[in-house]
Amino acid sequence: MFFHYGAMNSGKTIDILKVAHNYEEQNKSVIIMTSGLDDRDEIGYVSSRIGLRRQALPIFAETNICDVVKKENPGAACVLIDEAQFLQKHHVLEIAKIVDELNIPVMTYGLKNDFRNELFEGSKYLLLYADKIVEIKTICWFCNKKALMNMRVANGKPVYEGEQIEIGGNEAYYPVCRKHYFHPDLSQLK
């Protein structure tokens, strides 16, 4: 089990699409899944900001990921999961079962922390159970330092409190370094 994490705009989804392409170019099948919560484009699709998109199986709270893999393609060469921060603990344990019992590698991609700088449930358990953890880096919106955090913005101002999950893209979230998380240059916001 792999957990690839990065701040917003770090290229996580494009990585999934690239990995899927590489497997399929060798005539190896993949299963692509994503959170059913993410409806920015359409439920059941992974979409990158550069315009590439692909159909995926949606994961909901009641979804048993291991059962889905067994039903869809138990001979898949790889399972790829986008928006992994929205997984629940039982989903992560089901992924471990896919890896350990079905011998299918699972690569998950998602955010580590939310706009309040708290771990998401899925990220917490992926950090605990993953065989390999990989950071996908991007730069701060305001400077050239590495982005560590995701800043939520509403009405041109940073938001530090509220519901953990609020689906959004570039209009609502910015990748930022620690300094600019606490002291953003609001003149640079879109």
Side-chain angles (χ1 to χ4, degrees):
M1 175 185 334
F2 296 82
F3 179 38
H4 299 83
Y5 75 89
M8 298 288 288
N9 295 336
S10 60
K12 298 177 296 295
T13 301
I14 198 69
D15 255 20
I16 283 183
L17 296 170
K18 176 185 73 175
V19 169
H21 172 78
N22 289 344
Y23 271 97
E24 292 169 340
E25 192 170 47
Q26 298 177 19
N27 295 316
K28 296 173 182 171
S29 62
V30 297
I31 296 173
I32 301 177
M33 304 180 84
T34 190
S35 172
L37 296 175
D38 187 356
D39 60 358
R40 284 175 290 174
D41 186 5
E42 192 176 341
I43 292 176
Y45 280 86
V46 293
S47 299
S48 76
R49 285 179 175 75
I50 65 169
L52 299 175
R53 94 192 270 262
R54 182 150 171 195
Q55 195 163 12
L57 299 170
I59 300 169
F60 299 100
E62 66 277 4
T63 301
N64 181 311
I65 297 173
C66 189
D67 287 348
V68 170
V69 169
K70 286 179 183 176
K71 179 182 175 200
E72 290 293 322
N73 184 356
C78 185
V79 176
L80 301 164
I81 300 176
D82 199 14
E83 303 295 346
Q85 70 271 11
F86 297 139
L87 297 174
Q88 296 176 0
K89 181 180 181 180
H90 75 91
H91 293 129
V92 175
L93 295 175
E94 292 156 11
I95 291 168
K97 190 173 179 179
I98 293 166
V99 173
D100 297 340
E101 295 178 17
L102 301 180
N103 295 312
I104 301 172
V106 179
M107 297 184 194
T108 65
Y109 293 77
L111 301 172
K112 181 181 65 167
N113 41 307
D114 66 17
F115 75 102
R116 299 171 303 184
N117 216 23
E118 301 286 338
L119 292 174
F120 285 95
E121 180 178 354
S123 304
K124 172 184 173 181
Y125 288 103
L126 285 164
L127 287 167
L128 290 170
Y129 288 101
D131 298 300
K132 183 163 183 170
I133 300 166
V134 178
E135 181 182 21
I136 301 173
K137 297 176 180 81
T138 193
I139 57 171
C140 176
W141 190 267
F142 304 106
C143 71
N144 292 325
K145 290 182 183 175
K146 180 174 82 169
L148 303 169
M149 302 170 187
N150 304 295
M151 185 176 68
R152 184 185 286 174
V153 175
N155 301 318
K157 297 191 186 231
V159 178
Y160 299 102
E161 296 179 359
E163 290 295 318
Q164 183 179 49
I165 298 173
E166 184 177 304
I167 304 300
N170 290 343
E171 79 290 348
Y173 293 96
Y174 294 87
V176 294
C177 67
R178 181 178 48 248
K179 174 184 173 183
H180 287 111
Y181 177 79
F182 293 109
H183 306 287
D185 180 355
L186 300 178
S187 68
Q188 291 187 44
L189 295 178
K190 287 183 179 179

